[in-house]
Amino acid sequence: SGCEFTCVRNDSSAWESHERDFAVTHTRLINKQLKLTLSELTSTKEELKSTKEYLKSTSADLKSTKEALKSTNEDLKSTKEQLMRFGNSTEAEQTDRSPADMMWKLSLGITEVTSNVWVVNDITNIRSSKSLLYSHEMTFATPNAAHRYSFMLSLRFTSEGMGLYFTIRCGPVVQFLDLLSLFEGQSLQWPFKHRVQLKLINLKSKTHKIFSIDDHQLWRDYFNQYNPPIQDNKSSLGWNTFLTKAEVESGEFAIHNTMVIVATLLDPVNVQTQQQSDLIKKGNA
């Protein structure tokens, strides 16, 4: 029986030793997990701090964006007001006129707001080159914004004289009116139905050369194909002998090597028409 007692006691001691080992191991694992958890919490704390700073920065960006949108809204409001003034102004043509053109218009006593002046310098070299010369893009400044059409003139010297041509354009005014249409629904009226008078100034005898773009079917067919014109349209129509060879060589239309051509927008053809002619009319500019 003594042996049995000793064996039981030894088994008990071994069990207690295993329990202690297990407790120590378990405690170590728990400590390790706690350290890992503490490390993760520290990392999370740093991430939260970083997130807080990011949110603070984002809040500042949102505030800045809000201010920018407010400023943009004010700019759009100002732009709308400017476009409305542009739509009602009768002096819009000044935006595409050079100072020299304006000076010529004033010196010639031209008061019509729908008249544009093209000053062509260095005529001698232009005559010798015989190449097609385009004007800058111009705009008829009518009180009605829907009739502020853009156009270009062009000329070419040939062995028979000088040709003069008219080109209807889409132009910058259409772009302005497209933007204005976002607010008010305004746009240019197409096709072009107005008449245009082209006058080549004679500074010597005041016998100016005047041709008119009127209700002739050739002109109507030309304009009806544009509803509206394509961007950068260069297709033109005009007179191959706006000036005869004799008129060119007379020098009366090129004073100091300069020609002055006036384009004036007239009433639409369905209001009042003017017969197509190659007449030379007398009168002051």
Side-chain angles (χ1 to χ4, degrees):
S1 63
C3 290
E4 292 178 359
F5 173 78
T6 300
C7 289
V8 170
R9 187 175 61 181
N10 289 342
D11 291 343
S12 175
S13 297
W15 177 253
E16 289 176 357
S17 176
H18 285 308
E19 283 185 335
R20 284 194 302 269
D21 291 342
F22 175 78
V24 170
T25 302
H26 187 64
T27 301
R28 288 176 179 175
L29 288 173
I30 292 175
N31 287 336
K32 188 174 183 180
Q33 288 180 344
L34 287 174
K35 287 181 180 179
L36 289 174
T37 302
L38 181 61
S39 177
E40 290 175 354
L41 287 174
T42 302
S43 177
T44 302
K45 182 179 178 181
E46 293 298 324
E47 290 178 358
L48 287 174
K49 183 178 179 181
S50 177
T51 301
K52 182 179 179 181
E53 293 296 326
Y54 174 77
L55 290 174
K56 184 178 179 180
S57 174
T58 302
S59 178
D61 290 342
L62 288 174
K63 183 177 180 181
S64 177
T65 302
K66 182 179 179 181
E67 293 297 325
L69 288 173
K70 183 178 179 181
S71 176
T72 301
N73 187 51
E74 292 296 325
D75 291 342
L76 287 174
K77 183 178 179 182
S78 175
T79 301
K80 177 182 177 181
E81 292 174 352
Q82 291 176 9
L83 289 172
M84 289 302 296
R85 287 196 297 271
F86 177 86
N88 295 325
S89 171
T90 59
E91 299 179 354
E93 82 281 9
Q94 295 185 11
T95 59
D96 58 12
R97 296 250 181 103
S98 68
D101 292 352
M102 292 300 296
M103 181 184 70
W104 273 101
K105 183 176 179 180
L106 292 173
S107 66
L108 294 171
I110 300 172
T111 58
E112 297 91 346
V113 296
T114 58
S115 293
N116 294 68
V117 176
W118 181 26
V119 180
V120 187
N121 298 306
D122 201 15
I123 294 299
T124 301
N125 285 334
I126 295 173
R127 284 186 61 184
S128 62
S129 70
K130 297 185 183 302
S131 59
L132 186 64
L133 176 68
Y134 282 93
S135 72
H136 58 284
E137 188 168 295
M138 295 175 278
T139 301
F140 292 119
T142 66
N144 186 345
H147 295 159
R148 290 190 185 137
Y149 300 100
S150 293
F151 68 98
M152 293 172 66
L153 300 177
S154 57
L155 61 81
R156 187 202 303 271
F157 287 94
T158 67
S159 59
E160 297 179 354
M162 186 196 81
L164 184 62
Y165 310 94
F166 181 89
T167 303
I168 194 70
R169 300 275 286 179
C170 178
V173 173
V174 171
Q175 296 169 13
F176 274 120
L177 290 176
D178 283 344
L179 182 56
L180 181 61
S181 67
L182 295 176
F183 303 112
E184 303 297 333
Q186 297 186 30
S187 62
L188 291 175
Q189 292 181 359
W190 299 100
F192 181 84
K193 294 183 178 180
H194 287 65
R195 295 175 298 127
V196 179
Q197 182 189 82
L198 299 182
K199 179 190 297 185
L200 180 56
I201 302 300
N202 184 325
L203 296 175
K204 285 187 177 180
S205 66
K206 302 297 182 181
T207 305
H208 311 306
K209 192 66 175 287
I210 301 176
F211 279 19
S212 294
I213 297 170
D214 55 20
D215 63 342
H216 192 281
Q217 190 60 45
L218 186 63
W219 283 111
R220 292 309 113 197
D221 290 343
Y222 168 73
F223 290 124
N224 286 338
Q225 66 180 310
Y226 300 116
N227 192 24
I230 60 173
Q231 288 286 346
D232 199 32
N233 177 46
K234 288 291 184 70
S235 175
S236 60
L237 193 64
W239 302 266
N240 290 328
T241 53
F242 192 93
L243 287 182
T244 64
K245 182 179 180 180
E247 289 171 332
V248 170
E249 294 178 347
S250 71
E252 292 191 354
F253 296 95
I255 305 300
H256 302 301
N257 209 27
T258 297
M259 277 186 173
V260 180
I261 302 169
V262 181
T264 303
L265 186 72
L266 304 176
D267 292 330
V269 294
N270 59 350
V271 175
Q272 180 183 3
T273 60
Q274 181 176 323
Q275 292 298 321
Q276 178 82 2
S277 64
D278 294 348
L279 299 178
I280 298 176
K281 298 186 178 180
K282 293 184 178 182
N284 293 327

